[in-house]
Amino acid sequence: MSFCECLKAYPEGSASASRLALTAKGLGYSSLIICNAEPQKVFRPDAASAVKGVRVILGAEVTAAHPKALKSRISALRARYPFLMVRGGTDEIIKVASEDPNVDLLMHPCAYDARRSLSIATARAARLNKVAIGFDLGALVHLRGSSRARWLEAARRNLLVARKFELSVAITAGALSHLDLKAPRDMIALAMVAGFEREEAEDALRLPERLVDLNMRAWTSPGVELL
Amino acid sequence: MRSRLPVLRARRRYMVFELEAEDTVSAKDLMNEIHSAQFSLFGDAGACVNRLKLITFNGKRGLLRCRHTHIDDTRAILATIFLINGIRVALHSKGVSGTIKAATEKYLPQLGKISDETDGRRIELKEVSGCIIRTHGLKIDLCPDDRNKTKGSDTRYLGLTSFDLSGGHEDADGTADGL
């Protein structure tokens, strides 16, 4: 039971890191990763370590206006933070993120437009560079009616491609406040509505912490670890 | 219709859930929202298989009856609720049991309640300032002076803890220098 959640803390969200940690501990998470776009501005990250029983990891969400800036930002942030997430907004951003081995998690949009679903080229690049594909279940919570039906269809389609290419999959609630956090069982139930198998959803919830543990080890080159 | 044969009786499970809200929510509003979330997610056909009934609700915790084969669906329904009558809420399922008695004994604690406290104290920090709406143990809900602070997340209040305000003292109760 080592479930993990990626979220945003104050000032980008509306709850401080320690409040998120306190709520996550109550819900049964063992760790959480704070993925703010400006991680150096997180409000009192040291206060979160006062909450015992939950590990708070400071990661970063990489945002950039255009692909070239994204590349340089990724390499700048990689050395400082053990977890890098990219929210795929445009096709170019998705392409660059999936081709960069420094990216840990690519939050792929689940859009109805068939051209913007998880493409074969992206999936192949993500597999080659070990980039995990993230599903933001916040849409399942916040949307209603036909827009949610469209989201569900796109999510199922993306999941099929991810399964076909054996990509690592992660799920998050896209939490911006402590009220957005869901218990791990609730997250698994939501993921099952979106077409996940139970084991798949459990693995998807464990994935971010596993990635952080891998990144925190000292790798000198691919496959060679400094002990 | 009531069946006399025990094998034909519908098997039920009782789910204990906890409500975290920015304001008080009535049982009627909650049930309306649960039903609307169920119809929205599973439709009328799904709702007829999994008839939900609210057994008790005390404003904070409640007991919901569901079908024994649809526990995960019920969890998903509760997880999709985020707004009741304009009040931002979060519903967390705590546990499932086969009888009301077992569910109450296992998951509905009678003792050790920490009640909400309301005080008019203010917080003035460099990053954040505002009025404390309520405190609940270590948790503090703050109404920020600058409304744009809670913009993208639909919440009215900022969630803080006394760790954020204690200025490095682990045992501080939030009354140290921040307040």
Side-chain angles (χ1 to χ4, degrees):
Chain A
M1 291 279 282
S2 55
F3 296 123
C4 183
E5 176 65 281
C6 310
L7 32 75
K8 281 185 182 248
Y10 182 76
E12 283 165 38
S14 68
S16 71
S18 60
R19 179 65 180 269
L20 291 169
L22 209 62
T23 313
K25 187 185 158 192
L27 293 176
Y29 285 99
S30 70
S31 58
L32 51 102
I33 305 176
I34 293 170
C35 293
N36 274 29
E38 293 180 56
Q40 66 278 8
K41 284 192 186 162
V42 172
F43 177 65
R44 303 270 164 96
D46 47 319
S49 56
V51 182
K52 300 281 183 276
V54 63
R55 188 174 157 209
V56 180
I57 301 149
L58 199 59
E61 182 187 323
V62 191
T63 47
H66 53 94
K68 213 169 184 183
L70 185 77
K71 254 185 196 165
S72 59
R73 187 115 175 93
I74 288 169
S75 45
L77 289 171
R78 177 76 275 181
R80 278 183 283 162
Y81 298 102
F83 189 84
L84 294 188
M85 182 177 99
V86 177
R87 202 169 284 275
T90 61
D91 293 347
E92 290 84 31
I93 297 277
I94 291 170
K95 185 169 181 289
V96 170
S98 64
E99 285 170 0
D100 197 328
N102 284 327
V103 175
D104 292 311
L105 183 63
L106 167 64
M107 298 301 291
H108 201 285
C110 294
Y112 181 62
D113 188 358
R115 282 169 302 168
R116 293 193 61 208
S117 66
L118 183 55
S119 67
I120 306 297
T122 310
R124 215 169 258 155
R127 174 153 176 70
L128 199 68
N129 297 304
K130 300 226 175 330
V131 177
I133 300 293
F135 288 77
D136 189 353
L137 298 184
L140 186 56
V141 175
H142 292 282
L143 299 177
R144 288 282 185 277
S146 61
S147 47
R148 179 155 70 180
R150 282 200 294 272
W151 184 90
L152 278 169
E153 192 206 343
R156 271 169 205 265
R157 201 181 320 123
N158 285 359
L159 189 62
L160 275 180
V161 177
R163 275 188 198 142
K164 168 86 183 153
F165 286 87
E166 295 172 346
L167 297 176
S168 322
V169 173
I171 50 176
T172 79
L176 287 170
S177 82
H178 58 282
L179 294 171
D180 287 329
L181 269 172
K182 309 278 169 213
R185 277 192 191 128
D186 297 356
M187 285 292 287
I188 290 167
L190 278 178
M192 283 164 74
V193 171
F196 282 74
E197 301 286 328
R198 181 180 289 278
E199 291 77 25
E200 225 173 23
E202 283 174 10
D203 286 344
L205 265 185
R206 289 201 186 97
L207 181 81
E209 195 184 17
R210 221 168 51 221
L211 290 177
V212 167
D213 286 340
L214 274 177
N215 287 337
M216 278 183 167
R217 283 153 62 177
W219 301 98
T220 50
S221 61
V224 182
E225 190 186 356
L226 192 68
L227 291 172
Chain B
M1 195 181 73
R2 201 184 156 96
S3 164
R4 297 213 174 154
L5 283 170
V7 285
L8 295 180
R9 203 186 296 152
R11 297 169 72 184
R12 296 160 171 175
R13 289 292 179 270
Y14 297 90
M15 181 175 285
V16 178
F17 63 87
E18 194 178 49
L19 177 102
E20 207 177 328
E22 293 196 320
D23 211 338
T24 48
V25 172
S26 72
K28 198 179 163 199
D29 290 340
L30 175 70
M31 207 51 220
N32 283 342
E33 189 60 39
I34 289 176
H35 276 142
S36 106
Q38 185 183 27
F39 289 132
S40 166
L41 196 59
F42 295 107
D44 296 353
C48 82
V49 190
N50 182 21
R51 298 281 292 167
L52 295 177
K53 190 180 180 200
L54 191 66
I55 308 288
T56 61
F57 178 64
N58 67 354
K60 177 90 181 129
R61 293 192 179 82
L63 197 59
L64 189 71
R65 189 174 76 195
C66 63
R67 186 79 175 263
H68 78 294
T69 47
H70 290 72
I71 293 167
D72 279 324
D73 293 352
T74 313
R75 275 190 215 282
I77 291 164
L78 292 185
T80 54
I81 295 169
F82 68 101
L83 206 64
I84 298 177
N85 260 359
I87 301 163
R88 190 74 172 70
V89 298
L91 283 164
H92 307 300
S93 59
K94 302 299 279 181
V96 182
S97 227
T99 59
I100 294 178
K101 189 183 171 199
T104 314
E105 284 173 1
K106 262 184 170 170
Y107 304 112
L108 284 175
Q110 301 296 318
L111 297 169
K113 277 182 194 161
I114 309 171
S115 55
D116 290 352
E117 288 173 23
T118 315
D119 52 12
R121 287 185 292 181
R122 280 186 59 78
I123 293 178
E124 298 284 352
L125 290 178
K126 196 177 70 186
E127 300 93 339
V128 60
S129 64
C131 249
I132 294 182
I133 296 299
R134 76 178 86 80
T135 56
H136 183 92
L138 290 167
K139 298 170 183 170
I140 298 171
D141 281 348
L142 179 87
C143 184
D145 293 336
D146 182 5
R147 284 285 162 162
N148 290 334
K149 298 264 186 202
T150 58
K151 221 176 173 181
S153 56
D154 301 339
T155 55
R156 237 187 284 172
Y157 308 131
L158 282 180
L160 303 177
T161 62
S162 43
F163 295 121
D164 291 325
L165 313 173
S166 58
H169 302 294
E170 254 184 45
D171 54 344
D173 60 349
T175 52
D177 54 2
L179 293 167

